[in-house]
Amino acid sequence: MTTPAPRASKGKAVKSPSRAHQDARPPASRQGSAQDDLAHIAAEWCACASDPAYFIHHYVLLDTKDGQGEGGAWAPFRLWPAQLRALDAVHAEKLLVILKARQLGMTWLLLGYALWLITFRPGSAVGLFSRRQEEAVDLLDARLKEMHRRLPDWCRVPTRKGKDNKTT
């Protein structure tokens, strides 16, 4: 499994994740003791918590059919260099305006970052907006919730039912 290319963040060079973190397979698929599995999970948790690019690259899946049909084809999210630069900017800046064209993967990138925030930064507030309400609901129900559902068990934060009896 490859890792994202080294990238700059807040003016500092950031190295690619260490070789120890490159085996991102779920612990159940590896041979070893329960203690080894716990150590692997702890190392992966720390790697993911410290770097949204690592989390997105290794654990986030995206719908390659982009919501066209039930049970679309979900594949690993492999970040492009431009997406890494955009992610650095989103992570570093409190307010950011992005001028972009269509089909650059920005919606999926920002949903992946939102997933990282709600997983590793408890209490984070994430708002999903779109031109129409149906599109905003789709961002939450068909994309973000499905991305969350496809995370490894050890990485998935618990969800609860809201007042409208929908998972929040």
Side-chain angles (χ1 to χ4, degrees):
M1 185 170 283
T2 60
T3 58
R7 56 200 189 97
S9 179
K10 296 184 183 182
K12 298 177 184 173
V14 177
K15 296 179 181 176
S16 294
S18 71
R19 292 295 289 165
H21 294 127
Q22 288 186 12
D23 181 12
R25 292 173 290 164
S29 68
R30 296 180 297 115
Q31 297 296 323
S33 69
Q35 189 172 6
D36 290 342
D37 288 347
L38 289 176
H40 179 77
I41 289 171
E44 284 302 302
W45 182 270
C46 291
C48 290
S50 66
D51 185 2
Y54 182 88
F55 169 70
I56 291 169
H57 183 83
H58 287 91
Y59 294 102
V60 174
L61 301 177
L62 57 87
D63 184 356
T64 58
K65 294 189 179 200
D66 206 9
Q68 298 174 12
E70 189 71 25
W74 289 79
F77 194 150
R78 296 299 178 243
L79 296 166
W80 304 328
Q83 288 173 321
L84 284 169
R85 289 190 300 275
L87 183 59
D88 282 341
V90 168
H91 187 58
E93 302 299 329
K94 202 169 198 172
L95 297 173
L96 187 65
V97 175
I98 301 172
L99 178 62
K100 65 166 215 65
R102 294 181 43 80
Q103 302 300 318
L104 296 178
M106 194 59 63
T107 299
W108 285 107
L109 178 68
L110 295 175
L111 287 172
Y113 184 69
L115 185 58
W116 178 82
L117 282 173
I118 61 177
T119 303
F120 298 103
R121 301 298 183 264
S124 294
V126 174
L128 300 175
F129 299 91
S130 194
R131 290 174 290 185
R132 295 188 320 257
Q133 180 178 352
E134 300 84 33
E135 292 170 349
V137 169
D138 177 69
L139 288 174
L140 178 62
D141 287 341
R143 295 187 190 197
L144 188 58
K145 285 183 182 178
E146 287 300 314
M147 291 165 77
H148 177 264
R149 191 174 71 77
R150 286 170 167 77
L151 290 174
D153 290 342
W154 60 264
C155 192
R156 197 174 323 120
V157 295
T159 58
R160 60 183 168 79
K161 298 284 184 179
K163 291 180 185 175
D164 60 359
N165 205 27
K166 289 191 173 187
T167 306
T168 58

